Amino acid sequence: MNATHASRGTAAKLTLRSLIFRIVGFTAVLSLVVGGTLYNGSSQAAFADDYPTWSDVTEARNNEAATKAVVARIKAALVQLESQAVAAQKDAEEKGNIWQEADTKYQAKSAQTETLQEQADAASAEADEAEKRIGELAARLVRAGGGDVTTNLLTNSQDADALLYNLGMSSKISQQTSALFDRAVQARNTAQSLSDAAEVARAELEVLKIAAEKAFAEAQAAAAAAEAALAEQQERKVEFDAQLVALTAARQTTEADYLAGVREREAARAAAQAAAAAAAAAAQVPNLDAGEISLSGWVRPAGGYITSVYGFSSQYGSSFHKGTDLGAGCGSSIFAASAGTVVYAGYGWNGGYGNYIIIEHANGLRTAYGHIMPGGINVSYGQNVAVGTKIARVGNTGNSSGCHLHFEVRPGGWSTTDPVPFMANKGIRLG
């Protein structure tokens, strides 16, 4: 083989190697950029530079001592990759819990603020009504008691009974007016007090919202980094396992054998991507498995009756339940309630909601899906989904006593609302 052929062969090999680690490189960079807090970036990069190559394998194959050294390096690399994946997942779970705790505080304060404002508005309306009644009674009092009483009695003796009756009524009207005045003052004071409390609560709510947004961003980044670390581990493990075989098997395995396997896997990957694209296109067609899609483009996220309602309830003690629970069977399908983009897909405890997905829809509206079964998440961060897309399977993860879907609706992305009337307004009945 001449130098030109050799250089072409090397270039082809490098091109293929670039293709092999296209995804690995991306996920590795993503894990460093997005999840920089997972582990020290410089030490991870230094270790990656020391990963055994096929040149190391080829050179060591005919030397027992060198073979043992490379095998040790490969095994150490496998351990390191697994450790990084585990650390990334642990970090994602911790940040997911921190976010859910911050979000729970925000939701509870949001509900309290809304209640205070509703009470303030009701008290203000009561004061307005009392003041209106005072005006009406005052007008009646003027009509009933106007003019000189003695003169009226002398000049209108035939109407004396009516006049005396009116005077008696005016006394009663005065008493009613006084009572209404006291009621109006009390209602107005109550309204002001509640309005002041609501204003304080709104200020506290804004602080909690900032904390929740920050925690969510960190949880979102950590979940993406965990997915990237796992992908890198799985991709690298394929090559390292092949290198171990090359060093330890009776039959001499070459890099060419490995690259042939890579080509097969790339072909399979391309076929899978084509199938996924076809499935995504098909997803634009109404999914009959998800049930009837409403005219507004919404569908039931899962089957089953309502087992827990939204808000404060004796079932949750002093905790605020941020969604509606649907008692669907274990492993049954969870559907995207409407078209949107996945903005969170994480495994872990997530503050008791277990494996958890959030989809963002038009105008910043979000829906969330909790207690997904282990390994049951079928979508990834950033993925676009159509209404009725099967995004996950019902499970029992997190703080759950049985398989069900915890379903949330978040107008504007943060504050939750009761999913039952919201979905009813979209033409979908839950439960």
Side-chain angles (χ1 to χ4, degrees):
M1 178 182 294
N2 59 35
T4 302
H5 286 151
S7 63
R8 287 177 180 172
T10 301
K13 186 178 293 184
L14 289 174
T15 300
L16 182 56
R17 183 176 293 279
S18 299
L19 178 64
I20 295 167
F21 291 107
R22 181 180 70 249
I23 296 177
V24 174
F26 169 75
T27 53
V29 170
L30 181 62
S31 65
L32 290 174
V33 174
V34 179
T37 58
L38 300 181
Y39 37 79
N40 184 282
S42 59
S43 63
Q44 192 274 344
F47 189 89
D49 291 339
D50 195 42
Y51 284 156
T53 65
W54 278 98
S55 295
D56 297 331
V57 171
T58 301
E59 293 172 4
R61 196 149 42 198
N62 297 322
N63 184 296
E64 184 177 351
T67 295
K68 289 182 179 179
V70 176
V71 167
R73 285 173 60 196
I74 293 172
K75 290 182 177 179
L78 288 169
V79 170
Q80 177 72 5
L81 284 167
E82 182 178 1
S83 176
Q84 289 173 354
V86 170
Q89 180 58 35
K90 181 180 179 182
D91 184 71
E93 291 183 9
E94 289 176 352
K95 285 183 169 61
N97 289 334
I98 292 172
W99 163 52
Q100 284 290 358
E101 182 178 352
D103 185 67
T104 297
K105 290 179 180 178
Y106 171 80
Q107 301 303 332
K109 179 60 68 174
S110 178
Q112 179 192 25
T113 304
E114 185 176 348
T115 298
L116 285 170
Q117 190 59 59
E118 288 175 353
Q119 292 174 342
D121 292 343
S124 181
E126 182 181 355
D128 290 343
E129 180 62 25
E131 290 169 359
K132 178 181 177 182
R133 288 282 297 136
I134 288 172
E136 294 173 350
L137 289 174
R140 289 178 60 188
L141 182 61
V142 170
R143 290 194 299 271
D148 181 80
V149 176
T150 303
T151 302
N152 283 334
L153 285 173
L154 292 173
T155 58
N156 301 289
S157 56
Q158 69 276 14
D159 297 325
D161 290 342
L163 180 59
L164 291 174
Y165 173 79
N166 286 338
L167 289 175
M169 285 299 297
S170 68
S171 175
K172 292 181 180 179
I173 291 173
S174 295
Q175 293 174 5
Q176 292 177 15
T177 303
S178 178
L180 279 172
F181 179 79
D182 292 341
R183 175 182 161 192
V185 170
Q186 182 179 359
R188 190 64 68 193
N189 289 339
T190 299
Q192 186 60 54
S193 177
L194 287 168
S195 294
D196 292 343
E199 192 63 30
V200 171
R202 267 190 290 273
E204 295 173 349
L205 182 64
E206 186 60 28
V207 173
L208 290 173
K209 180 181 180 180
I210 293 171
E213 288 175 340
K214 180 176 181 293
F216 175 72
E218 293 178 354
Q220 189 180 46
E227 184 177 354
L230 180 61
E232 181 180 15
Q233 179 204 9
Q234 293 173 343
E235 291 285 340
R236 290 280 190 179
K237 188 176 185 302
V238 172
E239 182 181 21
F240 290 157
D241 285 346
Q243 289 177 349
L244 286 174
V245 170
L247 289 167
T248 59
R251 185 182 75 82
Q252 189 177 72
T253 303
T254 66
E255 184 177 6
D257 295 326
Y258 167 71
L259 294 177
V262 169
R263 292 188 188 95
E264 293 180 5
R265 286 192 295 276
E266 283 296 319
R269 188 195 305 277
Q273 289 175 340
Q284 302 304 318
V285 179
N287 187 341
L288 298 180
D289 292 338
E292 183 178 355
I293 297 175
S294 70
L295 294 176
S296 57
W298 288 76
V299 71
R300 273 177 59 102
Y305 295 105
I306 294 176
T307 56
S308 295
V309 298
Y310 172 85
F312 291 104
S313 69
S314 58
Q315 183 176 359
Y316 291 93
S318 59
S319 298
F320 185 86
H321 189 225
K322 297 182 283 186
T324 297
D325 290 347
L326 298 174
C330 298
S332 58
S333 296
I334 299 174
F335 305 101
S338 189
T341 302
V342 178
V343 294
Y344 185 85
Y347 288 101
W349 185 256
N350 278 306
Y353 291 107
N355 303 331
Y356 196 66
I357 291 173
I358 299 178
I359 298 175
E360 184 166 303
H361 311 281
N363 301 317
L365 171 71
R366 290 176 177 175
T367 54
Y369 312 76
H371 303 309
I372 297 167
M373 70 182 300
I377 295 178
N378 300 335
V379 292
S380 300
Y381 171 72
Q383 180 178 338
N384 293 324
V385 294
V387 57
T389 299
K390 293 181 181 179
I391 59 172
R393 287 175 290 163
V394 173
N396 191 30
T397 56
N399 186 16
S400 170
S401 58
C403 287
H404 69 280
L405 170 65
H406 170 82
F407 177 62
E408 298 176 359
V409 176
R410 296 170 174 253
W414 293 105
S415 295
T416 58
T417 192
D418 191 338
V420 173
F422 176 89
M423 293 296 284
N425 190 49
K426 299 295 183 181
I428 298 298
R429 178 180 176 183
L430 295 180

